[in-house]
Amino acid sequence: MSQAPGAQPSPPSVYHERQRLELCAVHALNNVLQQQLFSQEAADEICKRPLSQLALPQVLGLILNLPSPVSLGLLSLPLRRRHWVALRQVDGIYYNLDSKLRVPKALGDEDGVRAFLATALAQGLCEVLLVVTKEVEEKGCWLRTD
């Protein structure tokens, strides 16, 4: 079938979710998969389930993106900005290395860092990035299989 001269071909049907709230990770997943497979609740559940399966000794560190209150001096504003926080184990103790802290804050052993992560995830709008070596990433051994 031929088109009329000057007619534009119809664009392909492309699935595209637009930004709503701060759900860009969910929108990005669905846009890449070209269908609505993930909801905020499903994404949250996925984040919570691997938390108990993390093979923390294989993880070099964690970087969290968290909501952070905005203040002007002593005045706290009803605004939230995003803030990146590093967690790292040193000599068997996990530390919160938040750049806003005066000194690193000890979180304790694996249970302590898992509790910190659970609290951060429960507050919502938290992203967790794992920092692993190339070997660990290639083997996928940052998750326990038991």
Side-chain angles (χ1 to χ4, degrees), residues 96-112:
N96 177 348
L97 301 172
D98 184 345
S99 60
K100 290 183 177 182
L101 296 173
R102 290 184 190 266
V103 296
K105 181 178 180 184
L107 300 174
D109 60 8
E110 284 190 24
D111 291 337

Side-chain angles (χ1 to χ4, degrees), residues 5 8 17 22-23 31 43-45 50-51 53 55 66 75-76 79 94 97 101 103 105 114 116:
Q8 297 289 327
E17 285 185 9
E22 289 191 16
L23 300 176
N31 288 341
D44 288 345
E45 182 57 34
L51 180 58
Q53 295 174 333
L66 304 165
L75 179 63
S76 182
L79 302 171
Y94 286 87
L97 301 172
L101 296 173
V103 296
K105 181 178 180 184
R114 287 181 201 280
F116 180 87

Side-chain angles (χ1 to χ4, degrees), residues 128-141:
V128 178
L129 304 175
L130 301 179
V131 180
V132 298
T133 64
K134 183 175 177 127
E135 178 182 358
V136 167
E137 191 274 328
E138 288 173 348
K139 291 180 179 177
C141 58

